[in-house]
Amino acid sequence: MRVFLACLLLFVTPVGAWASDYYALTPQRIAPDTYVFIGALEGFDFDNHGAVANSGFIVTEQGVVVVDTGPSRLYGEAMRTAIAQVTDQPVVRVYITHAHADHFLGNNAFEDVPIAALPATEESIRSAGEDMARHLYDLVGAAMRGTAPVVPNETLALDAATSTLIDYGNHRLELIAAAGHSPADLMILDRTTGVLFAGDVVFNNRAPATPHGDIAGWQRALAAAGESGFRIVVPGHGPVAYDTAPLAQTADYLAWLKDRLQQAAAHGESAAEVMFEPLPPLWAALAVQPAEYRRSVSYLYPALERATLDSSQD
């Protein structure tokens, strides 16, 4: 029924009622030639049209480099409109940080340029992109009109924990491959300005989303981000920062989450008991809590329970 209602909205909602906010996207300049669009600090809903993730672009002498395209065709088109108000330079490449719907479903608006991603990101979009798009249709309705998953057409030959350099005019970008938040996480460090587009490796004042998370790998990715020498970090969600505080916050939350779930499994607590236990004030204050914590329990706890049970039988 919810899917039916979401589809119905595609035909009965006036375009201006849900498209105008996207077309008012305003880029925030954070460094020379470098702009970001800051997403809403909340979960997906009809009011925010699914625009909860950060995206951005770098203007270079060789053209514009875009990092992530947002949750829908309309969002991607709004990005291009906003970019054209900043520069006459054409978009020459798009980088997708990872295969979560709020970061790549705007690819529809960039099909005329190379869209680059890590191999596992490309494969995830190819195999699961349709399901992710349908899920967002269900959550945000008519704002998804005309959106379909577009698979990146340029594969970055990088394995986790490796990097490569590529120059766009006087901007030297380091493409850093990692894994942890998802099976493939791409971070992009502009060595010219010191801006690190960290994708969802880093969250700032928002609870990390862990549906595909590997906490040990995620901590390694955070360590790599910290060692990159960045001066400004653009997290996947939350405000831009000029220090390492968001990295520490994300790492501390993940450490607490893993410890909490391991202790609960060792004590034989049920998932329901763990899921609805009050959070410590420090973590309860993060945006999208307790929803993200409960989602983490549903995804991560069963494996920890099995591992605890197996170890007790050895």
Side-chain angles (χ1 to χ4, degrees):
M1 177 59 72
R2 289 190 301 160
V3 174
F4 168 77
L5 291 174
C7 292
L8 182 62
L9 279 170
L10 302 183
F11 299 98
V12 302
T13 305
V15 171
W18 44 267
S20 59
D21 288 348
Y22 277 170
Y23 284 91
L25 275 181
T26 302
Q28 173 185 330
R29 184 179 182 274
I30 61 169
D33 308 322
T34 310
Y35 301 81
V36 297
F37 302 99
I38 302 297
L41 262 184
E42 54 201 32
F44 299 119
D45 60 37
F46 282 82
D47 292 330
N48 62 39
H49 310 314
V52 301
N54 299 335
S55 57
F57 63 96
I58 304 167
V59 181
T60 81
E61 294 88 346
Q62 290 184 325
V64 177
V65 176
V66 170
V67 180
D68 283 342
T69 60
S72 68
R73 176 186 63 84
L74 282 172
Y75 185 99
E77 290 177 352
M79 286 184 69
R80 296 201 78 158
T81 297
I83 291 168
Q85 293 172 349
V86 171
T87 178
D88 293 332
Q89 290 275 33
V91 176
V92 294
R93 184 162 276 101
V94 172
Y95 289 106
I96 300 299
T97 59
H98 64 292
H100 285 163
D102 48 337
H103 294 264
F104 76 83
L105 280 174
N107 285 1
N108 283 139
F110 295 91
E111 292 186 78
D112 58 325
V113 298
I115 302 174
L118 294 169
T121 296
E122 182 180 329
E123 179 53 36
S124 293
I125 294 173
R126 180 178 291 108
S127 62
E130 292 283 356
D131 289 338
M132 286 188 272
R134 281 193 293 268
H135 181 58
L136 266 194
Y137 269 108
D138 192 19
L139 292 175
V140 308
M144 295 292 293
R145 183 178 180 178
T147 301
V150 172
V151 178
N153 51 29
E154 184 176 290
T155 304
L156 299 173
L158 293 171
D159 298 320
T162 62
S163 67
T164 191
L165 296 172
I166 183 168
D167 290 333
Y168 295 90
N170 66 345
H171 287 266
R172 170 161 288 190
L173 305 187
E174 182 177 5
L175 310 181
I176 305 168
H181 169 72
S182 76
D185 296 299
L186 176 67
M187 297 184 285
I188 301 166
L189 174 66
D190 186 342
R191 290 191 171 184
T192 303
T193 61
V195 173
L196 175 68
F197 287 91
D200 280 8
V201 170
V202 178
F203 285 69
N204 190 10
N205 294 334
R206 192 238 194 239
T210 63
H212 303 110
D214 167 54
I215 291 179
W218 200 335
Q219 295 284 22
R220 289 192 293 271
L222 284 163
E227 294 166 1
S228 68
F230 75 87
R231 294 193 292 273
I232 303 169
V233 60
V234 181
H237 298 261
V240 172
Y242 298 81
D243 55 27
T244 60
L247 282 71
Q249 182 187 74
T250 304
D252 290 347
Y253 179 84
L254 293 173
W256 166 80
L257 177 65
K258 180 179 179 180
D259 184 62
R260 171 69 191 102
L261 298 185
Q262 285 180 330
Q263 287 187 22
H267 294 154
E269 296 180 47
S270 69
E273 289 176 302
V274 180
M275 189 173 295
F276 294 100
E277 184 173 279
L279 297 177
L282 176 64
W283 304 129
L286 296 179
V288 202
Q289 289 287 42
E292 283 295 359
Y293 168 73
R294 292 172 181 170
R295 194 159 72 124
S296 292
V297 174
S298 67
Y299 281 108
L300 302 178
Y301 197 58
L304 286 171
E305 282 185 303
R306 288 194 298 271
T308 300
L309 179 62
D310 290 343
S311 64
S312 68
Q313 295 175 342
D314 289 342

